Amino acid sequence: MSYVEPSYSRDMRYISTRITADGAGGYPVEASRYRLVVARACPWANRAVIVRRLLGLEDAISMGMCGPTHDERSWTFDLDPGGVDPVLGIERLQDAYFARVPDYDKGITVPAIVDVTTGQVVTNDFPQMTLDLSTEWTAHHREGAPDLYPEALRAEIDEVNALVFKDVNNGVYRCGFSGTQEAYEAAYDRLFSRLDWLSQRLENQRFLVGDTITEADVRLFTTLVRFDAVYHGHFKCNRSKLTEMPVLWAYARDLFQTPGFGDTIDFGQIKEHYYVVHSDINPTQIVPAGPELGGWLTPHGRESLGGRPFGNGTPPAPPAPGEHVPPLTITN
């Protein structure tokens, strides 16, 4: 698959239909009607997996899991028996896109929310999707669910999210898929300048905005957790490893050890996706054996900064049956 271009630009044209409490757009919030289709490898999908866990929406929204690799046509359900999603009855996610838009010509992306009653994709607008899970699905939140998008902090969360998306979440891709030295170095400089800025911001506060976990922390975490395993080498983001950036490394470990974060991470699938699918960058498709992962479970010391991870709420229950990830492989 070919991704490389002189200066990488992400296609942000998504199906922007929203599922809302009032159903104004034709899709009302309704338990058991929708299926969230994700892949553990994908950082954008990982956001939705985390938010669904933190809010306790497992019983309201089922989750379909694509495998870590895909071809130019579509993500596939190769982890399921017979390669067919057991709820939607399809082998390829593209079938749900084409059911909604027969001539759909944009990316077949995860996460996507599918209307089980029609088999049609409702939305793949990943930035809005998690905000709506927080604000529109409140009737189905678990008791003790955290407020990930508190109204009083939304302007600041939005501002931080915009900077993190531009320079970090998408910045690593701009490094990896740059087609010229100049474009790569510009993206590299922006990435590490923003990581330095984030280190300063987090040096004396436990979370990105306020004293609890918010949407901003979810969005940064899914990039940081992939940094050493993929982005440092595969995408040439190699000024520093995450483990060599003390504040961000401690912050990432703090979140990883928080229920709902680390228990959604499958490093094996993450590495397989990037190193196999991006054959322009890694033509041998050899998947690295490292890095060693035991450090993710070491003490982080961030409790000394105070803060209340779930605010007035409580941690989520353990992952639902069938949604567990493999335990970390730790070498001595």
Side-chain angles (χ1 to χ4, degrees), residues 5 22 49 60 92 100 168-169 211 257:
E5 51 193 85
D22 62 10
V49 177
R92 290 179 172 272
R100 172 80 185 273
V168 180
N169 299 145
D211 66 351
Q257 294 169 32

Side-chain angles (χ1 to χ4, degrees), residues 54 142 144-147 212-213 258-261 308-316:
L54 295 179
R142 66 178 176 87
D147 187 352
T212 65
I213 292 168
T258 298
F261 284 84
R308 302 169 301 147
F310 296 100
N312 295 323
T314 57

